[in-house]
């Protein structure tokens, strides 16, 4: 190429926008990408899927029920007959473990979902209406928050008695506060944004603003908090069961199995290790997933 | 200055009142009564016991008596253990829990701060990842599982440390470790997050531009400013240690307040449960209160606004 | 005049979020003792990254640097952190853009001045150091320095904080002062005061100043020479009055044109420069300004312009162009 050409004017393309990042993906696409690259969160997710599947189908895999006793074979270690061994009453630990999974997961997830509903409603109302209403509501929440959570749960359990639904009730009554606080602070942030003010100006009703604009945009932190509430509920249930306040025999959650397994620890450790191991695995997975979600959805942590 | 204090104290008293009342009414809502559990008691004796403990009076009289008792620091007698008062129970068993809790607190704060700082300094490198994994484990593995695991490995299998009971220092090691696991994880995470943020601040850059050594920068600038928020964690830390003690004391057979609480709950020993709940709540709320005040004194930005009204 | 700093082909690349950002793409210039050299450019031009790189202020783990920076006999880019610690503060001081965040909020300002000073003069007693700090505060314009020495940064206004920064940077009496947009965060009246203060101190202490700014009026008011940066490179350099009188590079010309002037009438439009700065995470071919340049030629998109007439990197000034 000769100099005459090289020094002639350059024709520029009009559409080419230099400097603007062409891969402008949306909030959710970005979040999904970040989450997918987080290996531990993905492993955790699949682990949880596996555990839930086993909870559903596990008991069907073995030929035993969770309550039938084989007294002559009690306290036997894991074998080809009894994959996880037997407990002090000769019951199959494998079947009981997955029944325990059903119970623990059911309690954990149900209680958390109830907390979700209560917390979201409470937090949205408080954040939306602001001023006196908000102050009052948050004061109540603060005082309740100051009370030791587990103490309250224990006391409540004493009142409502033990049993599956009592536990769910007790957990639900005490666990909504954290969700309410997070939702409220999100609502406060969103309230100041222009699209909400625009909706106001266009005459949208409070209900519509809350349902259509505020809550959907707060889904991120809500989801993350939910992912952390579930292991807390599972843990608290296990805690209660360990103290003897859990579901009644012969039903067993992982917590009650752990409690029963404690006394047999020295000689028949498998009775404790299977339920204990699965509790830990579940909680670790939920926590890893929650961390991953948090990293993916928190706008501050992204570029 | 006065206004600040006053406001805090009022909130404190309000919370205490709420808890006391809540506890009272919850207890009253429990079906059954304290005596029907163990054996069948002839009616006359039942009547006499009811009368003796004042259980025949209407609820507001009992409520009043209850509140009065609290103010005069008389928490009443135990229904289950003849001759023992709640005050005695607490006075005997709390010191044990205090020592155990104190050990756990010291352990978790020191290890937590060190690990957290290390993770922050080596952000995104292998030390950071390793520490984060350990943190996740600490947060996820329930204390009773950790406790039994430690017991199994160190006592039953390796026979290195005593299994249970209380009295010597070595007996306190395993329980303290089990109790400290969760708080350590939290403190590590908190310190790490704070320090990472602090290390990105502009004044760290200024410090570096002055030619300060890394040690000076970390010690004089990064550490001090990251630890301030960690102090506010001391409140929830106390709560976590209290609740953890229920399980740990049970597993290791430690005669502390936690074990008493659990026992009283199973025994439906109302006054003891109420008394201990109240005691714990006072402890907790005071801890939070103290921390608030402490923080106000340490952070110069808040100090100023307190002193200026 | 003696050279105090020689920068040869400085390149700075950051590895952030798995992206490589080439912030500085080959910077070369000389700095002479006693002068005030301005580096002017938009955000993203690389000027801040360059100046911090001179004292290796960027975190090592994400930064790659190449080229040479000679301060006297020492070459800085290849120096270890320990060696740099002797130079930072003592030989080369630095003041930053945002006085709100650049001071430690939990340490009194006196302590922050003394800290830098005692680092390099450890044998000074604390009494002497304190007296010196008071002196410095007085020098930068505090009328009652004893009252302020134990004050916390949040009790000071922006202008006062910036003065504290100056005091802090100049306490160890460095020969060179790097000023990263020292007046950008301040309002106009304060700007003038700070610039006057800097000039005064420069005269007193015979300091050389390297001043970064995006504001041409600051350059006009304080600098002897100026470098214009764009896309991580120098596009034009020269004495200030020459640059303002007859800017050569199209970018410089547009920059000067785009400043609204008091003498402007309503009919004369304010002419912005179209487009936006280049994305530094992508490799650049040819001249960085090509896309936005009204006089762009074919060669501009293909090859980077070398230095012509010892002043300007622009193909318009190539002798091949006839």
């Amino acid at each position: 190429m000769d100099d005459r050409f090289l020094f002639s004017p350059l024709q520029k393309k009009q559409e080419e926008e230099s400097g603007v990042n062409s891969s402008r993906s949306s909030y959710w696409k970005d979040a999904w990408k970040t989450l997918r690259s987080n290996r531990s969160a993905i492993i955790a997710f699949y682990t949880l899927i596996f555990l839930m599947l086993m909870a559903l189908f596990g008991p069907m895999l073995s030929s035993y029920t969770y309550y039938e006793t084989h007294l002559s074979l009690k306290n036997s270690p894991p074998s080809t007959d009894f994959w996880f061994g037997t407990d002090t009453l000769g019951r199959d630990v494998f079947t009981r473990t997955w029944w325990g999974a059903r119970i623990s997961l059911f309690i954990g997830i149900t209680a958390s979902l109830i907390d979700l509903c209560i917390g979201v409603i409470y937090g949205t109302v408080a954040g939306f209406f602001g001023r006196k209403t908000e102050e009052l509501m948050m004061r109540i929440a603060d005082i309740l928050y100051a009370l030791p959570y587990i103490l309250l749960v224990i006391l409540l359990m004493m009142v409502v008695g033990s049993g599956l639904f009592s536990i769910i009730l007790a957990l639900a009554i005490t666990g909504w506060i954290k969700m309410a606080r997070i939702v409220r602070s999100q609502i406060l942030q969103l309230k100041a944004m222009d699209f909400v003010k625009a909706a106001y100006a266009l005459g949208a009703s409070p209900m519509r603003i809350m349902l259509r604009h505020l809550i959907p945009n707060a889904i991120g932190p809500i989801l993350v908090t939910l992912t952390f509430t579930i292991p807390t509920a599972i843990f608290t249930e296990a805690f209660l069961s360990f103290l003897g306040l859990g579901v009644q025999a012969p039903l067993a959650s992982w917590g009650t199995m752990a409690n029963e397994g404690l006394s047999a620890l020295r000689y028949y450790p498998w009775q404790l290790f299977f339920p204990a191991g699965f509790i830990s695995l579940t909680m670790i997975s939920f926590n890893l997933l929650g961390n991953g979600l948090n990293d993916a959805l928190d706008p501050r942590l992204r570029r | 200055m006065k206004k600040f204090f006053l406001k805090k104290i009022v909130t404190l008293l309000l919370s205490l009142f709420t808890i006391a009342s809540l506890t009272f009414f919850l207890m009253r809502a429990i079906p059954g009564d304290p005596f029907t559990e163990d054996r069948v008691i002839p009616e006359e004796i039942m009547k006499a016991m009811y009368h003796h403990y004042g259980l025949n009076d209407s609820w507001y009289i009992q409520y009043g008596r209850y509140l009065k008792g609290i103010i005069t620091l008389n928490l009443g007698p135990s229904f289950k253990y003849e001759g023992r008062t709640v005050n005695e129970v607490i006075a005997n068993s709390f010191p044990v829990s205090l020592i155990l809790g104190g050990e756990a607190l010291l352990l978790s704060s020191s290890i937590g701060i060190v690990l957290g700082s290390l993770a922050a300094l080596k952000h995104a490198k292998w030390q950071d990842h390793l520490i984060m994994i350990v943190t996740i484990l600490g947060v996820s593995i329930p204390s009773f599982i950790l406790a039994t695991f430690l017991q199994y490995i160190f006592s039953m299998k390796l026979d290195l440390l005593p299994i249970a009971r209380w009295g010597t220092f070595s007996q306190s090691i395993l329980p303290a470790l089990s109790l400290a696991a969760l708080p350590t994880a939290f403190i590590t995470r908190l310190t790490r997050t704070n320090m990472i943020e602090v290390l990105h601040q502009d004044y760290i850059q200024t410090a570096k531009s002055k030619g300060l050594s890394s040690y000076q920068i970390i010690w004089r600038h990064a550490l001090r400013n990251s630890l301030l928020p960690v102090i506010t964690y001391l409140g929830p830390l106390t709560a976590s240690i209290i609740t953890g003690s229920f399980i740990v004391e049970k597993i290791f057979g430690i005669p502390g307040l936690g074990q008493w609480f659990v026992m009283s709950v199973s025994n439906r020993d109302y006054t003891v449960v109420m008394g201990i709940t109240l005691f714990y709540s006072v402890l907790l709320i005071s801890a939070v209160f103290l921390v608030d005040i402490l923080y106000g004194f340490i952070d110069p930005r808040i100090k100023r606004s307190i002193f200026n009204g | 005049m003696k050279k105090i700093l020689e920068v040869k082909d400085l390149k700075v690349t950051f590895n952030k979020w798995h992206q490589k950002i080439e912030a500085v793409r080959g910077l070369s210039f000389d700095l002479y003792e006693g002068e005030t050299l301005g580096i002017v450019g938009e955000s993203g031009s690389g000027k801040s990254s360059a100046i911090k790189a001179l004292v290796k202020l960027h975190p090592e783990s994400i930064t790659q640097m190449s080229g040479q920076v000679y301060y006297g006999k020492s070459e800085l880019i290849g120096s270890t952190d320990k060696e740099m610690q002797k130079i930072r503060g003592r030989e080369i001081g630095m003041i930053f853009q945002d006085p709100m965040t650049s001071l430690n909020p939990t340490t009194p300002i006196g302590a922050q001045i003394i800290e830098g000073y005692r680092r390099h003069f450890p044998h000074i007693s604390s009494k002497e150091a304190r007296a010196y700090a008071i002196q410095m505060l007085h020098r930068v314009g505090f009328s009652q320095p004893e009252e302020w020495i134990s004050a916390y940064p949040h009790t000071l206004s922006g202008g006062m904080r910036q003065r504290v920064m100056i005091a802090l940077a100049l306490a160890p009496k460095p020969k060179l002062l790097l000023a990263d947009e020292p007046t950008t965060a301040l309002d106009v009246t304060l700007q003038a005061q700070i610039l006057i203060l800097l000039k005064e101190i420069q005269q007193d202490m015979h300091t050389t100043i390297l001043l970064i700014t995006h504001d041409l009026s600051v350059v006009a008011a304080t600098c002897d020479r100026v470098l214009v940066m764009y896309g991580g490179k120098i596009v034009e350099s020269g004495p200030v009055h020459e640059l303002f009188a007859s800017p050569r590079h199209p970018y410089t010309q547009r920059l000067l044109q785009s400043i609204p002037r008091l003498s402007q009438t309503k009919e004369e439009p304010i002419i912005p420069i179209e487009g936006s700065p280049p994305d530094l995470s992508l490799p650049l071919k040819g001249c960085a300004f090509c896309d936005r340049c009204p006089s762009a030629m074919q060669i501009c998109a293909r090859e980077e312009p070398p230095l012509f007439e010892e002043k300007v990197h622009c193909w318009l000034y190539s002798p091949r162009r006839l």
Side-chain angles (χ1 to χ4, degrees):
Chain A
M1 272 183 271
D2 71 329
D3 276 0
R4 267 227 309 215
F5 169 71
L6 286 174
F7 287 88
S8 61
L10 181 70
Q11 232 68 350
K12 272 174 282 186
K13 296 170 264 192
Q14 289 301 74
E15 328 88 63
E16 205 175 302
E17 294 258 309
S18 59
V20 175
N21 196 345
S22 48
S23 60
R24 197 110 281 247
S25 27
S26 73
Y27 174 63
W28 290 106
K29 267 198 244 155
D30 264 348
W32 183 237
K33 243 194 329 178
T34 316
L35 189 62
R36 262 202 323 197
S37 62
N38 185 342
R39 265 183 314 163
S40 46
I42 297 294
I43 296 180
F45 180 68
Y46 285 118
T47 310
L48 287 173
I49 301 279
F50 168 72
L51 286 171
M52 289 198 219
L53 284 175
M54 285 304 286
L56 282 173
F57 300 115
M60 301 180 206
L61 289 177
S62 84
S63 44
Y64 305 103
T65 63
Y66 69 90
Y67 50 80
E68 67 187 72
T69 61
H70 304 262
L71 289 168
S72 52
L73 292 165
K74 65 180 181 190
N75 294 323
S76 44
S79 59
T80 44
D81 276 335
F82 299 100
W83 298 327
F84 283 1
T86 61
D87 66 3
T88 48
L89 288 181
R91 295 175 291 199
D92 177 31
V93 177
F94 179 83
T95 318
R96 282 176 70 76
T97 303
W98 297 116
W99 260 99
R102 287 184 184 182
I103 306 253
S104 296
L105 285 173
F106 177 69
I107 293 180
I109 296 181
T110 315
S112 304
L113 286 176
I114 300 181
D115 280 338
L116 177 84
C117 296
I118 303 179
V120 168
I121 296 177
Y122 197 90
T124 311
V125 168
F128 181 77
F129 286 108
R131 275 180 283 154
K132 282 286 161 64
T133 322
E134 182 198 354
E135 235 205 278
L136 180 67
M137 288 177 92
M138 292 324 283
R139 270 296 157 79
I140 299 179
D142 279 340
I143 294 188
L144 287 176
Y145 194 65
L147 311 179
Y149 166 63
I150 296 206
L151 273 183
L152 266 183
V153 176
I154 294 181
L155 291 179
L156 269 171
M157 287 298 296
M158 285 180 72
V159 174
V160 300
S162 40
L164 191 61
F165 287 101
S166 323
I167 300 184
I168 297 185
L169 188 67
L171 289 176
I173 294 182
T174 48
W176 56 268
I177 301 184
K178 182 149 199 206
M179 179 69 82
R181 285 182 146 202
I182 301 235
V183 170
R184 167 189 161 255
S185 81
Q186 270 299 109
I187 301 286
L188 285 182
Q189 280 181 38
L190 289 170
K191 249 198 336 183
M193 290 200 187
D194 289 335
F195 72 91
V196 175
K197 293 189 189 159
Y200 239 149
L202 288 173
S205 72
M207 196 62 157
R208 190 185 166 81
I209 296 185
M210 286 195 280
L211 285 178
R212 267 327 264 336
H213 298 281
L214 294 176
I215 295 184
N217 278 300
I219 293 270
I222 291 180
L223 198 60
V224 173
T225 311
L226 181 66
T227 320
F228 284 121
T229 312
I230 298 180
T232 311
I234 295 181
F235 169 74
T236 312
E237 182 277 315
F239 191 91
L240 290 173
S241 304
F242 202 73
L243 291 178
L245 288 169
V247 289
Q248 301 289 60
L251 266 184
S253 70
W254 279 333
T256 45
M257 287 180 74
N259 189 19
E260 289 166 11
L262 178 64
S263 33
L265 180 61
R266 183 155 224 162
Y267 302 108
Y268 319 116
W270 61 89
Q271 292 177 13
L272 174 62
F273 283 146
F274 283 112
F278 283 114
I279 296 180
S280 310
L281 190 63
T282 311
M283 290 189 63
I284 294 177
S285 304
F286 268 114
N287 275 315
L288 281 176
L289 185 62
N291 267 337
L293 277 175
N294 196 25
D295 286 345
L297 292 171
D298 186 348
R300 286 178 304 164
L301 292 176
R302 286 153 71 235
R303 348 168 217 114
Chain B
M1 178 69 154
K2 262 197 220 151
K3 225 171 117 186
F4 175 72
F5 265 128
L6 219 65
K7 211 167 147 205
K8 292 272 170 187
I9 293 187
V10 167
T11 320
L12 186 122
L13 289 173
L14 213 76
S15 305
L16 286 177
F17 178 72
T18 315
I19 299 175
S21 312
L22 251 175
T23 320
F24 178 79
F25 287 110
L26 269 179
M27 286 292 111
R28 287 199 57 88
I30 297 179
D33 61 64
F35 306 114
T36 51
E37 293 296 312
D38 348 315
R39 29 180 211 256
V40 180
I41 306 178
E43 228 186 276
E44 288 91 47
I45 302 192
M46 276 273 260
K47 276 205 197 141
M49 287 177 97
Y50 263 75
H51 186 75
H52 176 69
Y53 286 117
L55 293 172
N56 283 328
D57 304 326
S58 46
W59 69 266
Y60 40 87
I61 296 189
Q62 292 195 40
Y63 185 49
R65 207 185 296 142
Y66 172 70
L67 288 177
K68 184 167 152 221
I70 294 178
I71 299 180
T72 59
L73 292 180
N74 175 10
L75 294 167
S78 156
F79 284 159
K80 284 296 162 180
Y81 295 91
E82 304 267 335
R84 291 247 203 131
T85 65
V86 178
N87 290 34
E88 272 174 20
V89 168
I90 296 181
N92 283 333
S93 50
F94 180 61
V96 175
S97 302
L98 187 62
I99 297 177
L100 180 62
E103 272 187 50
L105 204 122
L106 272 171
L107 259 177
S108 50
S109 324
S110 41
I111 298 182
I113 293 178
V114 168
L115 282 184
S117 309
L118 188 62
L121 290 169
K122 301 278 178 198
H123 184 36
K125 302 213 189 91
W126 67 266
Q127 294 98 330
D128 187 17
H129 288 305
L130 185 66
I131 292 178
M132 285 316 283
I133 293 177
V134 172
T135 320
I136 298 254
L137 288 178
V139 164
S140 317
I141 300 184
S143 48
F144 58 90
I145 294 181
L146 182 66
T148 49
F149 182 70
L150 287 176
Q151 213 180 29
Y152 186 69
I153 302 264
F154 287 99
S155 297
M156 297 185 190
K157 286 291 167 197
L158 295 179
D159 211 10
L160 276 176
L161 290 165
I163 291 187
R165 302 279 161 234
W166 185 252
T168 67
F169 174 67
S170 54
Q171 282 175 315
S172 69
I173 297 182
L174 286 183
L177 278 176
S178 317
L179 203 51
L182 182 65
T184 309
F186 263 106
I187 294 183
T188 306
R189 267 221 269 210
L190 204 56
T191 310
R192 172 185 176 272
T193 312
N194 281 320
M195 189 165 286
I196 289 182
E197 205 183 306
V198 164
L199 287 174
H200 279 126
Q201 293 294 319
D202 286 342
Y203 56 85
I204 299 288
Q205 188 173 223
T206 310
K208 194 171 177 186
S209 76
K210 292 198 280 199
L212 300 181
S213 69
S214 312
Y215 172 73
Q216 282 173 319
I217 297 177
I218 296 171
W219 186 249
R220 279 202 225 145
H221 294 272
L223 210 60
R224 278 216 340 231
N225 289 335
S226 340
L227 287 186
L228 282 176
V230 176
I231 292 181
T232 56
Y233 180 64
L234 283 176
L237 177 62
T238 316
S240 150
I241 290 188
I242 289 177
T243 56
S245 69
F246 300 160
I247 293 251
V248 172
E249 286 178 13
K250 173 180 176 178
I251 294 181
F252 289 97
I254 297 176
L257 197 55
Q259 205 185 48
W260 265 101
F261 184 69
V262 172
M263 275 201 304
S264 316
V265 166
S266 337
N267 290 340
R268 306 283 190 268
D269 196 346
Y270 300 149
T271 43
V272 181
V273 173
M274 284 199 285
I276 299 183
T277 308
L278 213 58
F279 181 74
Y280 275 142
S281 310
V282 169
L283 210 64
L284 219 71
I285 295 184
S286 316
V288 174
F289 178 67
L290 273 170
V291 164
D292 270 348
I293 302 215
L294 197 70
Y295 194 84
F297 272 108
I298 294 185
D299 188 338
R301 292 167 283 192
I302 300 185
K303 215 203 284 189
R304 180 187 184 217
S305 54
I306 299 178
F307 278 102
N308 285 354
Chain C
M1 277 212 287
K2 197 171 139 204
K3 275 191 212 173
I4 191 174
L5 203 69
E6 268 186 76
V7 179
K8 294 190 194 305
D9 201 34
L10 176 66
K11 290 196 175 119
V12 182
T13 309
F14 298 118
N15 290 311
K16 258 188 186 173
W17 307 104
H18 312 296
Q19 260 192 335
K20 260 184 152 208
I21 301 181
E22 293 176 25
V24 184
R25 298 167 184 235
L27 198 65
S28 304
F29 65 91
D30 297 328
L31 188 60
Y32 295 93
E33 236 179 61
E35 71 168 341
T36 306
L37 177 65
I39 300 186
V40 78
E42 302 170 315
S43 353
S45 55
K47 51 195 200 298
S48 238
S49 308
I51 202 176
K52 289 185 198 163
L54 293 179
V55 280
K56 295 182 83 171
L57 220 52
H58 297 293
E60 265 191 58
S61 46
I62 56 169
T63 319
Q64 281 167 305
M65 293 196 284
S66 70
Q68 288 102 22
V69 175
Y70 288 100
Y71 176 77
K73 291 216 178 67
S74 330
E75 199 286 303
L76 302 181
I77 301 293
S79 301
T80 64
D81 203 49
K82 271 218 152 60
E83 291 163 356
M84 285 309 295
Q85 283 172 22
K86 295 210 190 83
I87 300 211
R88 291 183 198 130
R90 177 80 185 87
E91 303 286 333
I92 304 181
M94 191 155 178
I95 59 179
F96 298 92
Q97 181 175 338
D98 190 347
M100 299 257 281
T101 55
S102 299
L103 294 173
N104 188 335
T106 58
T107 316
I109 58 175
Q112 300 193 43
I113 299 177
I114 293 174
E115 180 184 49
Y117 183 58
R118 282 185 100 182
R119 169 75 173 138
H120 301 285
F121 299 99
H123 307 296
I124 298 276
S125 75
S126 43
K127 244 170 107 183
E128 285 173 315
R130 190 169 185 278
Y132 182 62
I134 293 181
Q135 215 184 14
M136 284 307 296
L137 281 178
H138 183 72
R139 184 73 196 80
V140 297
F142 279 77
S143 50
Q144 306 203 283
E146 309 83 24
E147 311 232 329
W148 288 101
I149 193 137
S150 325
Y152 288 95
H154 65 272
T155 60
L156 275 65
S157 70
M160 287 162 90
R161 273 179 255 197
Q162 196 58 296
R163 291 172 195 269
V164 171
M165 272 252 272
I166 296 177
L168 181 162
L170 290 170
K173 298 206 182 52
K175 296 210 195 74
L176 170 60
L177 179 68
L178 305 175
D180 187 0
E181 307 220 38
T183 54
T184 306
L186 304 170
D187 61 49
V188 190
T189 35
L190 281 175
Q191 268 189 28
Q193 287 175 16
I194 297 289
L195 292 175
I196 293 175
L197 176 63
L198 280 175
K199 282 306 240 182
E200 273 177 25
I201 295 186
Q202 181 183 37
Q203 279 213 330
D204 257 0
M205 297 167 78
H206 306 292
T207 329
T208 312
I209 299 183
L210 185 54
L211 180 74
I212 306 267
T213 180
H214 63 265
D215 188 341
L216 283 164
S217 49
V218 169
V219 171
T222 55
C223 301
D224 305 314
R225 284 196 305 137
V226 61
L227 307 173
V228 181
M229 272 187 80
Y230 185 83
K233 305 173 80 82
I234 299 181
V235 295
E236 183 169 359
S237 62
V240 165
H241 54 267
E242 255 190 55
L243 198 94
F244 275 77
S246 45
R248 283 173 169 69
H249 196 281
Y251 175 60
T252 323
Q253 290 167 352
R254 306 286 272 194
L255 212 55
L256 284 164
Q257 267 178 359
S258 66
I259 307 174
R261 265 175 269 262
L262 277 177
S263 56
Q264 239 173 316
T265 59
K266 262 197 287 192
E267 282 73 39
E268 292 172 39
I270 302 176
I271 310 169
I273 312 179
E274 308 106 33
S276 24
D279 184 349
L280 293 171
S281 59
L282 306 169
L284 270 185
K285 191 168 181 214
C287 173
F289 191 57
C290 185
D291 287 336
R292 302 165 82 185
C293 183
S295 329
M297 302 176 288
Q298 293 287 348
I299 193 172
C300 301
R302 290 174 164 75
E303 272 180 64
E304 268 187 54
L307 189 62
F308 295 112
E309 297 179 20
E310 288 183 26
K311 288 183 197 319
V312 57
H313 285 270
C314 181
W315 287 114
L316 288 171
Y317 299 90
S318 163
R320 282 154 65 184
R321 181 171 180 251
L322 287 156

